[in-house]
Amino acid sequence: MFNLVKYFDDLTNSEKEVFNYIYEHQSEVVNMKITDLAKNSLVSKTVIINMAQKLGFSGYADLKYYLKSGILPKSRKDNYKELQTELRDDIDKTFSLVDMEQIKGVVKEIQNSKTVYIVARGTSKAAGSHLNHLLLTLGIRCMFLEDYNLSSIVSRTLEKNELSILISLSGTTDKILEVAKMAKLRKSKIVSITSFDRNPLSEMADYKLYCFSKGNDTKSNDSISRIGMFLIVELLAATLKYKMT
């Protein structure tokens, strides 16, 4: 860990706590699962993953390999270049997944809906909030249901002429699936925004919008990039704006 001390000041306070714990218990950590380390250092698994990535590792497993072997990852300079390449790749692959007929269909539903409801959880809330803001600026009556209790209440009163846009990278978020099931029962249209993978949310949706993501297990790592998701949101808003002019 001595070679990594120079990155210590880049860490958050929680990440520094993990770093200190690992530094003092290196021989034990090499055999620890991430859940055990999180429990022992009193932080979440996401904090551990973020710390490992800031140190230049791909994740916790890569960090443990370094602790066992003493082999450092590539330099951070190289990793920055790789990061740029990966982000461009996410954008390009998301564009390849775009179905403009689906986008146009969603835009038409938005224009004809009495109210548009947007639901997202975890890190995907940022994309949901951004979409809500864009729709409001275009004069669309919409509501971002970031509170679980509110989304449960609203889903029970959905009308046929109302639209639900449900955002979940994995498409398996229980609380969002509950909203989708209620919307289906009330014959209200559903738009899903998920990663490109077969998932229960997209299977229930009337319109399926996909973004590319290198992973979708947000339960173990909710810091997975949502850049593709934001691209879909921007494309939706831009198409809607074009139709309205």
Side-chain angles (χ1 to χ4, degrees):
M1 292 290 285
F2 177 76
N3 291 324
L4 303 176
V5 171
K6 58 185 176 181
Y7 301 133
F8 187 77
D9 289 338
D10 295 338
L11 306 179
T12 66
N13 288 335
S14 295
E15 291 163 355
K16 287 177 180 177
E17 290 292 332
V18 181
F19 186 99
N20 287 333
Y21 182 89
I22 295 174
Y23 188 83
E24 295 171 2
H25 303 85
Q26 294 181 50
S27 59
E28 294 96 328
V29 171
V30 293
N31 297 312
M32 279 187 188
K33 296 179 180 178
I34 190 171
T35 50
D36 296 327
L37 177 57
K39 182 179 179 180
N40 290 349
S41 55
L42 304 177
V43 300
S44 68
K45 291 185 289 185
T46 299
V47 170
I48 296 172
I49 293 168
N50 289 343
M51 181 213 65
Q53 291 175 343
K54 285 184 180 179
L55 297 178
F57 300 98
S58 62
Y60 178 58
D62 196 19
L63 171 59
K64 286 209 301 180
Y65 177 77
Y66 162 69
L67 293 176
K68 289 180 181 178
S69 65
I71 299 174
L72 283 168
K74 295 180 181 179
S75 70
R76 302 187 94 194
K77 182 178 180 181
D78 291 339
N79 283 346
Y80 288 141
K81 291 180 180 178
E82 288 178 9
L83 175 60
Q84 293 176 32
T85 301
E86 288 176 4
L87 291 177
R88 288 194 195 98
D89 191 46
D90 287 357
I91 292 171
D92 291 341
K93 288 183 178 178
T94 294
F95 269 122
S96 72
L97 296 173
V98 170
D99 183 339
M100 281 309 299
E101 293 307 311
Q102 289 279 310
I103 293 286
K104 292 175 183 177
V106 174
V107 165
K108 186 175 180 180
E109 293 290 346
I110 290 174
Q111 289 179 303
N112 295 333
S113 293
K114 174 184 174 183
T115 309
V116 176
Y117 295 104
I118 302 168
V119 186
R121 303 289 294 171
T123 304
S124 296
K125 280 186 178 182
S129 177
H130 185 52
L131 177 58
N132 182 65
H133 176 76
L134 291 175
L135 294 184
L136 287 173
T137 60
L138 293 172
I140 301 299
R141 181 177 177 181
C142 63
M143 183 180 296
F144 179 38
L145 305 176
E146 56 181 323
D147 179 81
Y148 169 63
N149 293 324
L150 183 59
S151 63
S152 296
I153 293 170
V154 171
S155 66
R156 295 189 183 97
T157 62
L158 284 170
E159 300 176 14
K160 289 183 180 180
N161 61 346
E162 293 182 320
L163 178 70
S164 297
I165 300 179
L166 309 181
I167 304 174
S168 169
L169 193 66
S170 66
T172 60
T173 308
D174 291 337
K175 292 172 182 178
I176 291 181
L177 290 176
E178 289 177 19
V179 176
K181 290 173 184 176
M182 186 58 66
K184 295 295 284 186
L185 286 174
R186 301 191 63 81
K187 302 186 185 306
S188 179
K189 293 289 179 66
I190 300 170
V191 177
S192 66
I193 302 179
T194 70
S195 64
F196 186 59
D197 192 11
R198 184 175 181 180
N199 61 76
L201 178 57
S202 63
E203 289 179 358
M204 283 191 280
D206 298 284
Y207 298 90
K208 314 171 198 303
L209 304 181
Y210 294 109
C211 63
F212 176 77
S213 173
K214 292 181 176 65
N216 59 18
D217 185 7
T218 54
K219 287 185 178 180
S220 62
N221 180 16
D222 204 25
S223 66
I224 297 171
S225 172
R226 304 301 202 276
I227 191 168
M229 189 174 282
F230 274 96
L231 182 61
I232 295 299
V233 165
E234 287 287 343
L235 188 56
L236 261 182
T239 306
L240 177 59
K241 185 177 181 179
Y242 175 77
K243 290 285 187 181
M244 294 173 69
T245 56

